[in-house]
Amino acid sequence: MHLHKNINNLWKLMEERGRRQDKPMKPQVVAWERGKRLSDTAIVSADSGTNTTWWARQIPAKQGQMHSVSGTLASMACGLPYAIAAQIAYPDRQCVAFVGDGGFSMLMAEFMTCVKYQLPVKIVIIKNNTLGQIKWEQMVFLGNPEYACELQPMDYAAFARACGAMGFTIDDPAKCGDILDAALATPGPVIIVALVFRYYVRQ
């Protein structure tokens, strides 16, 4: 009974954080809204980084779904290729990659594979222009040097369009759900870029 109450309290907290309307937008909002829109048989591929935290906390796994992450090695850039493989193996299932801008940029050329074969993979990019997990580790363990963590800003939605696909950008939490609905209803591969608050590990 006590455990059940704690779990309920945890989900209430996750929902509260997932409904925040702060600007700049919190990454929890994107994960929460995305989680509500997953099909009962969705396959979700997460990458390594702080985005893994939001996938684990804000996106509830349901029976019938599949969820994957890089595991103990925490290798970056796995989210997109995992989603591609899942969509090929299960062409009739909803396949989603939930990644950060750091991991996605390492293998972003593979998005052309989705375009070439018209794989309807939906890629949600949490964009904060930094290697968030590495920055956090440096801040906590190394005295805050913040060395070589900044990423060159890039318009990933424009990249999607340059590849011949559709790209969406979310920067307003009040519009997050509507934009996700539009993106999910778009045929073929899609990139959804969420512009989020940069320093958010403890929030």
Side-chain angles (χ1 to χ4, degrees), residues 98-117:
F98 189 80
V99 302
D101 48 355
F104 179 76
S105 63
M106 291 181 176
L107 282 179
M108 59 192 289
E110 289 304 321
F111 183 68
M112 288 300 295
T113 302
C114 298
V115 176
K116 180 177 181 179
Y117 296 104

Side-chain angles (χ1 to χ4, degrees), residues 38-141:
L38 290 175
S39 72
D40 291 339
T41 60
I43 303 175
V44 184
S45 303
D47 216 317
S48 290
T50 49
N51 57 89
T52 316
T53 303
W54 315 131
W55 159 76
R57 291 183 180 178
Q58 310 291 145
I59 299 179
K62 300 176 183 176
Q63 187 173 1
Q65 294 178 348
M66 294 183 186
H67 291 252
S68 61
V69 70
S70 66
T72 55
L73 294 178
S75 301
M76 293 176 67
C78 65
L80 176 57
Y82 282 7
I84 291 172
Q87 195 70 82
I88 292 171
Y90 300 96
D92 297 327
R93 295 176 69 165
Q94 181 189 54
C95 295
V96 177
F98 189 80
V99 302
D101 48 355
F104 179 76
S105 63
M106 291 181 176
L107 282 179
M108 59 192 289
E110 289 304 321
F111 183 68
M112 288 300 295
T113 302
C114 298
V115 176
K116 180 177 181 179
Y117 296 104
Q118 276 302 290
L119 301 173
V121 174
K122 305 302 187 267
I123 303 159
V124 179
I125 301 175
I126 301 297
K127 184 177 186 292
N128 59 4
N129 299 326
T130 188
L131 297 175
Q133 188 72 28
I134 304 303
K135 178 187 280 289
W136 178 78
E137 289 174 348
Q138 289 181 357
M139 290 168 66
V140 172
F141 298 113

